[in-house]
Amino acid sequence: MKRDYKKWVSGLIQGKVLFDAPMRQFTSIKVGGPAECLLFPKDVDELKKLIRFVRRKKIPFLILGKGSNLIVRDKGVRGWIINLTQGIKKITLDGEVVEAEAGLPLQRLVQFSIRKGLTGLEPFSGIPGTVGGGLAMNAGAWGAELKDVLLSMTFMKEGGEIVERPRSRLRFSYRGLALPPSWIILKGRFRLKKGKKEEILERVKSYSEMRKRRQPLDYPSAGSVFKNPKEGPAGKWIEEVGLKGFRVGQAMVSHRHANFIVNLGKAKAEEVIFLMEFIEKKIYEEKGISLEREVRVVGEP
Ligand SMILES: Cc1cc2nc3c(=O)[nH]c(=O)nc-3n(C[C@H](O)[C@H](O)[C@H](O)COP(=O)(O)OP(=O)(O)OC[C@H]3O[C@@H](n4cnc5c(N)ncnc54)[C@H](O)[C@@H]3O)c2cc1C
């Protein structure tokens, strides 16, 4: 199978292609086995070629942003992983409307808006994902969600056709966006407002400081593991059942923020997943609350 991929891929795109790519190098929590084939299309046309190809050959595929909300299992991922961060990352400005491609780091979008004196994206400073990953997850912080400043999104459908949808036709939820399977986010258009640069910077600074105080940024993690249930913040419940600092191998519930699992160095995905399941069980047994995962787990069981 793998040899076939090599043959198929040669000549298909000019962008980089890696075989048996260790996914711990492409995820923020730094766990996970190899991806059979990791491809970096150089532009939207190459992406279209790939999408048509995987459809024809029935190859399973996954879009990867910065891997900051992703846990890849130790046995790795079969099929193709397509990463947009190298070739699909343009940013343009039209008045107060910014258009950003999916592979652009969200932080580059925030920095761009600061430079242009545009306000609206400050709460998202410090979120380590891409624009595409942020939209797919409806990323948010400090009471704001990315959808709040969104005007429209552009997608590539499974056959390679490109469609734009206004926000009113998109079904966002808390940390989610319901999309037809295999639609790829290509870009988002965001409506910002003119503001005073010093005030924008001041807000960004204060959000960054809060983030540094509250999040364990000195260890690899995948951000918040669970969504906050209606009963209150997930971290509060995890702390209440006494799991701060609880370890499975090299995976540990952070002392600083109980909804973060940190990798102490050489954690395996298996340890992170075991710890997540342990937390879910304990919170259910002791508090009667079913936690829902925010992080996504992919790969061979
Ligand atoms: C230290 C730390 C702090 C964090 N803080 C926050 C926070 O404050 N708020 C918050 O909401 N999140 C936070 N996160 C989580 C994470 O950064 C966000 O969810 C981010 O938006 C994920 O983007 P990504 O590019 O890394 O996506 P990935 O992890 O690469 O992918 C996430 C999901 O989106 C899908 N996806 C990615 N790109 C596309 C695309 N172009 N088209 C279709 N599907 C796509 C992937 O297939 C996957 O299912 C934090 C994470 C860390 C490590």
Side-chain angles (χ1 to χ4, degrees), residues 26-29 62-70 83-85 102-104 106 123-142 146 155 175 179 183-186 211 215-217 219-224 260 294 296 298:
F26 296 94
T27 56
S28 60
I29 192 166
L62 171 82
I63 301 291
L64 172 74
K66 284 212 161 226
S68 63
N69 199 54
L70 216 56
N83 184 285
L84 311 184
T85 62
L104 185 83
L106 204 47
F124 311 105
S125 70
I127 299 181
T130 57
V131 168
L135 288 167
M137 295 302 306
N138 189 20
W142 321 115
L146 211 47
F155 303 92
R175 299 294 175 272
L179 282 182
W183 276 35
I184 299 172
I185 300 164
L186 287 183
R211 200 173 268 280
Q215 296 186 348
L217 302 177
Y219 286 104
S221 79
S224 293
F260 275 57
E294 181 171 324
R296 297 188 177 174
V298 297

Side-chain angles (χ1 to χ4, degrees), residues 1-12 19 53:
M1 196 63 156
K2 260 178 241 166
R3 240 194 9 251
D4 276 347
Y5 282 165
K6 277 193 182 153
K7 205 168 72 194
W8 288 349
V9 166
S10 77
L12 189 64
F19 297 95
F53 193 82

Side-chain angles (χ1 to χ4, degrees), residues 24 26 36 38 50 82 85 104 160 185 219 232 253 264 283:
R24 62 178 183 283
F26 296 94
E36 271 190 303
L38 175 59
L50 291 180
I82 302 176
T85 62
L104 185 83
I185 300 164
Y219 286 104
V253 175
L264 295 175
I283 298 285

Side-chain angles (χ1 to χ4, degrees), residues 96-157:
E96 295 177 356
V97 175
V98 183
E99 189 172 281
E101 288 190 332
L104 185 83
L106 204 47
Q107 289 321 293
R108 294 266 303 279
L109 175 60
V110 173
Q111 293 303 325
F112 179 86
S113 69
I114 299 174
R115 276 202 310 280
K116 300 290 174 190
L118 292 167
T119 176
L121 292 170
E122 297 91 315
F124 311 105
S125 70
I127 299 181
T130 57
V131 168
L135 288 167
M137 295 302 306
N138 189 20
W142 321 115
E145 294 178 320
L146 211 47
K147 74 158 174 42
D148 301 341
V149 283
L150 183 76
L151 277 177
S152 68
M153 280 169 79
T154 303
F155 303 92
M156 184 176 285
K157 291 167 63 171

Side-chain angles (χ1 to χ4, degrees), residues 219-240:
Y219 286 104
S221 79
S224 293
V225 176
F226 300 104
K227 297 181 185 179
N228 289 324
K230 60 178 185 327
E231 292 87 351
K236 172 180 166 272
W237 300 118
I238 300 169
E239 193 173 343
E240 269 195 22

Side-chain angles (χ1 to χ4, degrees), residues 31-87:
V31 300
E36 271 190 303
C37 186
L38 175 59
L39 305 102
F40 301 82
K42 79 169 173 48
D43 55 26
V44 173
D45 279 344
E46 279 202 353
L47 177 66
K48 190 183 281 185
K49 258 197 206 172
L50 291 180
I51 291 310
R52 290 191 170 150
F53 193 82
V54 293
R55 190 186 193 196
R56 209 165 58 240
K57 300 277 189 187
K58 297 193 170 48
I59 302 169
F61 78 96
L62 171 82
I63 301 291
L64 172 74
K66 284 212 161 226
S68 63
N69 199 54
L70 216 56
I71 293 169
V72 177
R73 292 179 187 271
D74 298 313
K75 287 188 185 149
V77 186
R78 289 187 53 200
W80 288 11
I81 296 192
I82 302 176
N83 184 285
L84 311 184
T85 62
Q86 294 197 356

